[in-house]
Amino acid sequence: ACMTCSIISTVTPESRYESRRVRHLHDWWHGARGGDIPWRHHFDIVDHREIVEHIFVIDCLPTGDFVFRLAGEQVYRLIGRNNSGELVKRGAVGEYGTALFEYYSSIVAERCCKHCVGSLKFAGREFRRFEGIDCPLTEDGRAVSRIIGVMDLID
């Protein structure tokens, strides 16, 4: 949910992070991918207790739009509310504008993780910074069906 990212980069195995939680998801994704993107069923929340409150999941709809499926308590605190069920679609204005749609679309098209660092200005806390990672998953071995991510405060 990188609504106000000041830095966006494509993730590589050499990428460096300030947040150990972001690093945790990065390491899992790169270890599970087997040359492409990991299957959704390879991610078992039981194996990721230390990041569970910082995880969010986005469904990639057949229309090309996105919907926030669920998020941990810390994500709700960071963004200021529960955004489950909210749509991110092409041409949208407001909080989920074109930039967020294009960001998620690039993850789907490139089949790669994106790393994001930004401020929480959108949540009324412009003096706090966050780091996030957004990673594609597949249900069928072909299409990106979900994006799983982590958001964490950094100083």
Side-chain angles (χ1 to χ4, degrees), residues 60-66 87-90 101:
C60 306
L61 302 177
T63 60
D65 296 331
F66 305 92
L87 203 60
V88 177
K89 61 184 190 174
R90 184 185 312 276
F101 176 84

Side-chain angles (χ1 to χ4, degrees), residues 26-72:
H26 167 272
D27 290 349
W28 173 83
W29 193 88
H30 274 283
R33 65 188 227 132
D36 194 17
I37 61 173
W39 291 69
R40 187 202 56 76
H41 69 266
H42 289 162
F43 187 86
D44 184 345
I45 198 68
V46 173
D47 300 330
H48 303 280
R49 292 181 202 276
E50 68 196 69
I51 63 169
V52 71
E53 291 194 344
H54 296 265
I55 287 177
F56 58 90
V57 177
I58 295 155
D59 284 341
C60 306
L61 302 177
T63 60
D65 296 331
F66 305 92
V67 66
F68 292 103
R69 182 178 177 82
L70 59 92

